Amino acid sequence: MHLYELDVVATAEGLRQKEFSSVEATQAYLERIDNLNPKLNAYLTVAAAEALAAAKTADERRRRGEDGNLLGVPLAIKDNITTVGIRTTAASKILENYQSAYDATVIKKLKDAGAVILGKTNLDEFAHGASTENSAFGPTKNPWDTTRVPGGSSGGSAAAVASDLCAGALGSDTGGSIRYPATFCGVVGLKTSYGRVSRSGLLSMTSSTDVIGPITKSIHDAAVLLQTIAGPDSLDQTTYPKSPRDNEYAEAISTRADLKGLRFGVPKEWLSVGGLTAGVAKMIKEAIGTVQKLGGEVVDVSLPYAKYGIPVYYVITPSEISANLARYDGIRYGYHATEATNLFDVYAKSRGKGFGPEAKRRIMIGTYALSHGYYDAYYLQAQKVRTIICQDFDKVFKSVDAIIGPAAPHVAFKLGAKVSDPLKMYLEDIFMSPASLAGLPSLVLPAGFAKPEEGGEEMPVGLQIIGRRFDEAALFAIGHCFEQATEHHIRRPKL
Ligand code: GLN
């Protein structure tokens, strides 16, 4: 086995047993990135020198007797999370050479834990998208079929994990951006509860739904990463005040050998939705069968308002984006149009040249939805329906422990198939936006493979498991049981 094939837990174990050093593991990844990144475009920045220096420090810390689940483990970070010394671009021309003055809280925590940051991964510009095609630096390719998208917006992180270009990664999820690429790339992705992880240093998109979470090769790895990055933060007043207990998540995965005593709700609206392909439906039904075999009770539930998730999300999201992107004015951050002749011209030219089409579209829609006379009709109305969507979930969680269903209606689509039709791209979020609007944790894990409708090689299919707010531990326990009973997560793309 090559060092780059090891997951987070196995890498830490190898380091602990002195089978190899962090420098050796880091070098193995850097070499593989050199070979494969030109083909996949998963990384926008490879921080080779910084990674090797961090690996050396980690090896010294181990030599001095320190231990830790991430000490010396090489990871990839989505490029909308700030890192001192490594540029943070958000895959936008407006931040092409942006160097942050501070580390995101999650980065501080990873560095304290001794993790090695290999580099920064590709995304849709400012995380707006579902395919990673909205990147100003070219799309990432799906490692299972490089003519297909990896999903988005954290497509770089998911592709890097799936193709062994890192042991594990961080992504961000506002309306599906961790879960969607996880299902398209056949890896584990956890959208954390809103407030579970500090957003300080995450470039804001939709402040009321943005979260950071792990993308990994296994549930255990996701548990280890979340344990390190979770917890309250004085720099983010929306963080949940309670930290997880020491080792809570790693313990959660060993609490159950089966799913006996647990009730799972399958939203009946989701399995009958138009556009759900036969191949995906089959895998989800099989997954439901596995849950039953493991002793879980499966019942039909109804989320009647979840179908309004997309319209509500696409009013609230651009509204918050229009406010959040106002800071990129050509003066304080990033790209500055030197040819501008007056202040207004600086704004217009810097933003006009710096932002790509999707960011501009969202700024315009959001500015409209928030403007006097339209605010009540759009933004306020969307917030009211959002509350009803939350209540839908609250009601269902009175009688079930988790909700299970598809993550995406189909497998990864071809590059270019939807990127010129924004509405089509927005519809990709159908199973994603409800949990985001409600702030609930949601786990996507490998549940099989299906051939694309239009023909081609088998592609990964993910199962989505939505849990109670702040109960990520339950998702890890359930997810681990499912993972142990199946082999989908073991298959890797041939590259
Ligand atoms: N597809 C969603 C969007 O375009 C998801 C984005 C996200 O989660 N960052 O807004």
Side-chain angles (χ1 to χ4, degrees), residues 407-478:
H410 43 242
V411 295
F413 48 89
K414 288 271 188 190
L415 287 154
K418 295 177 199 253
V419 70
S420 49
D421 187 342
L423 280 182
K424 257 194 198 155
M425 198 66 95
Y426 298 167
L427 289 174
E428 291 297 300
D429 304 346
I430 176 156
F431 302 127
M432 299 280 104
S433 32
S436 286
L437 291 167
L440 299 170
S442 168
L443 178 71
V444 163
L445 72 174
F449 292 81
K451 284 209 160 117
E453 298 273 281
E454 69 279 11
E457 291 299 306
E458 280 195 323
M459 299 294 291
V461 175
L463 173 74
Q464 178 173 210
I465 313 177
I466 303 173
R468 293 198 173 94
R469 204 162 291 128
F470 300 117
D471 200 359
E472 281 84 357
L475 290 183
F476 289 135
I478 295 165

Side-chain angles (χ1 to χ4, degrees), residues 200-230:
S200 174
L202 171 67
L203 304 191
S204 301
M205 175 180 164
T206 308
S207 307
S208 72
T209 67
D210 287 342
V211 303
I212 295 176
I215 299 181
T216 55
K217 298 177 192 180
S218 75
I219 299 287
H220 195 169
D221 282 7
V224 166
L225 276 177
L226 183 61
Q227 188 78 44
T228 305
I229 61 173

Side-chain angles (χ1 to χ4, degrees), residues 173-256:
D173 191 312
T174 301
S177 281
I178 287 176
R179 291 165 286 160
Y180 219 66
T183 178
F184 278 12
C185 290
V187 293
V188 171
L190 174 69
K191 175 213 161 314
T192 49
S193 307
Y194 182 75
R196 174 52 89 197
V197 176
S198 169
R199 287 180 293 119
S200 174
L202 171 67
L203 304 191
S204 301
M205 175 180 164
T206 308
S207 307
S208 72
T209 67
D210 287 342
V211 303
I212 295 176
I215 299 181
T216 55
K217 298 177 192 180
S218 75
I219 299 287
H220 195 169
D221 282 7
V224 166
L225 276 177
L226 183 61
Q227 188 78 44
T228 305
I229 61 173
D233 181 13
S234 60
L235 296 175
D236 175 0
Q237 295 300 318
T238 62
T239 45
Y240 185 56
K242 273 207 259 163
S243 289
R245 269 182 295 107
D246 278 355
N247 227 18
E248 177 174 349
Y249 297 140
E251 276 168 18
I253 68 155
S254 50
T255 51
R256 296 195 147 265

Side-chain angles (χ1 to χ4, degrees), residues 5 69 223 228-229 277 347 357 369 425:
E5 288 173 296
N69 290 334
T228 305
I229 61 173
T277 58
Y347 295 153
M425 198 66 95

